[in-house]
Amino acid sequence: MHISDLGVYSSVTASAMTLGLILGGVITTALSWRWVLFINVPIGLFAVLIAPRYLAESPRRTGRFDAAGALTSMSGLVAVAFALVRTAEHGWRDPAALAALTAGIVLLVAFVLIESRTRQPIMPLRLFADRTRAGAFATLLLIPMVTMSMQFFIVQFLQQVLNYSPLQAGLAFLPMAIGMLLTAQNASRAIAKFSGKTVALTGVALLTTGVAWLVPITATTGYAAGIAGPLLLTGAGLGLVVVPFNIAIMSTVDPAESGAAAGVLQTAMLTGASLGIAVLSAVYASTIKDNSGSATQPTVHAIADGMGTAFTVSLTFAVAALLITLLVVKRTGPR
């Protein structure tokens, strides 16, 4: 994929995200939140029908499917996510949560051992041998932990504290999409003028600043002063991050392993989104329970306090991504 194509991809992603939030608000308001899930069915079927016409067939290679690796990785991630979600309701000492967490860790360790020994692994460990590529994978795991959980909690804040309707909550995310559109379409030119690391570092710094802005959130925080700015900065940061890290990963792998690298890239982002929401939901639930004595009927002040604590933890993820980008990812010349 050409560098300019990645910029277009990021811009389209931002537009789709905004359209999805707005349409989701319209559908929820007019019908029910369940229809938001159903609407994906015709969209998916449409994509299946048109894909063969516009997507070129990849070269076929003989090989053996890594069933053991797929099973242990999937089961391990599900177990860890289940454990984190369960702690939100039952606390950190819940036996079932601890058992699931232990099982998940054991399965993920087994997955790494399997990948180190099998002839055709689904996740070749040599993909992490390159320092910059490994740093890019780690950062693309951490960033969705920040951004997806941030979107999740902001929606809750807008509706539960500011009493926004679903449609209003969807429209409230326009600054995030605008920020991403403005930077994504210019990221390729910025990389050509400076370097991939400089652009990525700027993006992660903007994203970190946006999350830090949300940490002192309270029940009296207004949208204009406390929400729109962080959304704009986060969107701008995302637009600068996607292109250079995709290049750092995909431009340095052997063509025969490009599929595996792309798969690990997407898995890292999706895993980060799932784990981020699970971890911060557990932190949020624990905080509001401590502050109000109930996690099911909290006050608006307890809700805001819980979100402030969650954003504080989210900020640590963002700072970790910033440090990895600064210290691990190597600087390359303009491309």
Side-chain angles (χ1 to χ4, degrees), residues 76 79-84 87 92 95-107:
V80 171
F82 170 79
L84 294 172
T87 58
W92 296 97
L98 293 175
L101 182 61
T102 302
I105 293 173
V106 170
L107 286 166

Side-chain angles (χ1 to χ4, degrees), residues 229-292:
L231 287 175
L232 180 64
L233 288 177
T234 303
L238 275 174
L240 293 176
V241 163
V242 173
V243 176
F245 280 134
N246 270 269
I247 292 173
I249 292 171
M250 300 305 299
S251 67
T252 58
V253 296
D254 187 273
E257 294 185 338
S258 60
V264 174
L265 186 157
Q266 294 297 325
T267 301
M269 296 182 70
L270 293 173
T271 301
S274 301
L275 291 180
I277 293 176
V279 170
L280 296 179
S281 293
V283 171
Y284 166 76
S286 177
T287 302
I288 62 173
K289 189 173 182 180
D290 292 340
N291 290 351
S292 65

Side-chain angles (χ1 to χ4, degrees), residues 12-310:
V12 171
T13 300
S15 301
M17 179 186 69
T18 306
L19 182 61
L21 287 168
I22 295 173
L23 287 179
V26 172
I27 293 170
T28 301
T29 302
L31 299 171
S32 166
W33 64 267
R34 292 176 174 82
W35 283 88
V36 175
L37 303 177
F38 177 77
I39 196 65
N40 291 310
V41 176
I43 294 174
L45 291 175
F46 177 72
V48 169
L49 291 174
I50 67 170
R53 179 175 298 182
Y54 296 101
L55 298 180
E57 182 67 36
S58 300
R60 295 184 179 274
R61 296 184 175 89
T62 58
R64 183 177 180 181
F65 179 63
D66 181 15
L71 182 62
T72 51
S73 61
M74 179 184 65
S75 302
L77 290 173
V78 170
V80 171
F82 170 79
L84 294 172
V85 171
R86 186 171 175 85
T87 58
E89 183 177 355
H90 300 279
W92 296 97
R93 297 183 180 180
D94 178 67
L98 293 175
L101 182 61
T102 302
I105 293 173
V106 170
L107 286 166
L108 291 176
V109 171
F111 167 67
V112 174
L113 293 175
I114 291 170
E115 298 307 280
S116 67
R117 297 177 181 179
T118 188
R119 292 182 60 183
Q120 292 181 312
I122 59 172
M123 189 185 77
L125 298 183
R126 55 184 170 272
L127 289 176
F128 303 94
D130 180 82
R131 172 178 166 181
T132 295
R133 195 187 307 133
F137 279 130
T139 305
L140 289 177
L141 173 72
L142 288 166
I143 287 176
M145 293 179 71
V146 176
T147 57
M148 293 305 295
S149 56
M150 174 183 171
Q151 293 179 51
F152 173 77
F153 284 114
I154 287 179
V155 168
Q156 308 305 312
F157 181 84
L158 292 173
Q159 294 191 264
Q160 295 183 32
V161 179
L162 299 185
N163 295 317
Y164 278 30
S165 69
L167 177 57
Q168 289 175 316
L171 291 170
F173 278 86
L174 280 174
M176 186 174 186
I178 291 171
M180 190 172 179
L181 281 169
L182 291 175
T183 55
Q185 62 186 356
N186 294 304
S188 58
R189 288 193 289 270
I191 292 172
K193 185 176 182 180
F194 303 104
S195 71
K197 177 172 180 174
T198 300
V199 174
L201 191 60
T202 302
V204 179
L206 286 172
L207 190 148
T208 303
T209 304
V211 178
W213 193 338
L214 288 169
V215 170
I217 194 169
T218 67
T220 59
T221 297
Y223 173 78
I227 304 297
L231 287 175
L232 180 64
L233 288 177
T234 303
L238 275 174
L240 293 176
V241 163
V242 173
V243 176
F245 280 134
N246 270 269
I247 292 173
I249 292 171
M250 300 305 299
S251 67
T252 58
V253 296
D254 187 273
E257 294 185 338
S258 60
V264 174
L265 186 157
Q266 294 297 325
T267 301
M269 296 182 70
L270 293 173
T271 301
S274 301
L275 291 180
I277 293 176
V279 170
L280 296 179
S281 293
V283 171
Y284 166 76
S286 177
T287 302
I288 62 173
K289 189 173 182 180
D290 292 340
N291 290 351
S292 65
S294 172
T296 56
Q297 294 181 334
T299 64
V300 291
H301 294 285
I303 291 172
D305 289 342
M307 290 180 181
T309 304

